[in-house]
Amino acid sequence: MPSKDTRTKLLDAAFLEVYTHGYHGAGTASILKKAAVPKGSMYHFFNSKKDLVLSVVQEYVSPKMDEFFDFTPQKDETVFQSFERIFTKMSTHELIITHGCPIHRLLVEMAPLDPEFENVLKEIFTTFVNRVNTLLQTSVQKGELIAFDTETTARFFITSTWGEISLPPSLSSTESFLKNSQLFLRMLNTYKTLN
């Protein structure tokens, strides 16, 4: 009987394969080879490649992104400092700069084709928008920013950031990501209070 370690190997291999090649470009044989497990082991844990990849999204990618994209302000941190911290962390993560946001990539590839993928990915997207919206609303309540449409701005932040880092590698770079980040901060600065 395959061990939980086998399941973890399958999740790790599937993540890297789908992240670098997309869902349709990720072959089951390649995933099995990278995980160094026999085909029967995969089907012991997952009914199909789709089930494996949905498990990767729900058990691996979503929690890692929650940890990585921490929109909770640190003590005495302004909203601008919070975004700077997030942008700096993102800009130093080579895999994100090279291959983009794993959720965005799957959302673009799979949402139009599969309602189950669409629902799972939509939930993750909505969670991130809500977290950014909360950060912005808190900054309005603290008097850092004037009242404005924080929900639309939060959605703009997520879509523009994920879009920038999900460009093909030939169009993506740390420099272009940081320019996009600074543009967002300049836009946000227009809502800064005079205090």
Side-chain angles (χ1 to χ4, degrees):
M1 183 171 185
S3 70
K4 288 194 183 228
D5 185 48
T6 300
R7 188 176 190 282
T8 301
K9 287 180 185 178
L10 286 164
L11 290 170
D12 288 345
F15 167 74
L16 284 173
E17 190 68 13
V18 172
Y19 190 30
T20 56
H21 301 290
Y23 180 84
H24 290 99
T28 303
S30 182
I31 292 169
L32 293 169
K33 184 177 180 181
K34 284 185 177 159
V37 300
K39 190 174 193 174
S41 295
M42 179 180 140
Y43 293 107
H44 174 77
F45 294 107
F46 309 100
N47 293 327
S48 63
K49 174 182 158 184
K50 176 183 170 181
D51 286 346
L52 170 60
V53 175
L54 283 169
S55 293
V56 166
V57 170
Q58 293 167 321
E59 299 173 31
Y60 191 91
V61 177
S62 185
K64 292 259 187 226
M65 287 185 65
D66 284 345
E67 182 182 307
F68 190 78
F69 295 105
D70 181 9
F71 295 107
T72 308
Q74 306 297 314
K75 186 178 171 140
D76 299 323
E77 187 177 59
T78 69
V79 67
F80 297 97
Q81 291 167 329
S82 295
F83 280 112
E84 285 282 357
R85 174 178 45 81
I86 294 161
F87 289 141
T88 299
K89 189 173 187 180
M90 290 173 68
S91 72
T92 59
H93 196 283
E94 188 66 31
L95 205 55
I96 285 179
I97 295 299
T98 304
H99 296 289
C101 172
I103 297 298
H104 179 261
R105 289 174 57 105
L106 274 174
L107 191 62
V108 170
E109 181 181 9
M110 295 305 296
L113 305 175
D114 188 295
E116 192 172 2
F117 267 102
E118 180 179 21
N119 289 335
V120 167
L121 297 167
K122 181 180 172 184
E123 182 180 324
I124 294 168
F125 173 80
T126 301
T127 298
F128 277 100
V129 170
N130 290 340
R131 287 182 182 156
V132 174
N133 187 35
T134 299
L135 174 62
L136 294 170
Q137 286 178 343
T138 301
S139 69
V140 169
Q141 292 166 357
K142 288 175 20 183
E144 290 179 70
L145 302 174
I146 62 172
F148 67 105
D149 185 351
T150 57
E151 186 174 348
T152 300
T153 304
R155 185 179 175 91
F156 173 76
F157 167 78
I158 294 295
T159 57
S160 67
T161 302
W162 285 7
E164 174 64 31
I165 61 176
S166 294
L167 290 168
S170 63
L171 299 173
S172 184
S173 69
T174 302
E175 182 182 347
S176 65
F177 170 75
L178 289 172
K179 283 182 180 179
N180 186 68
S181 304
Q182 291 306 311
L183 183 62
F184 175 79
L185 289 172
R186 283 195 302 275
M187 188 241 5
L188 191 62
N189 196 51
T190 65
Y191 300 112
K192 191 173 181 180
T193 59
L194 299 176
N195 296 345

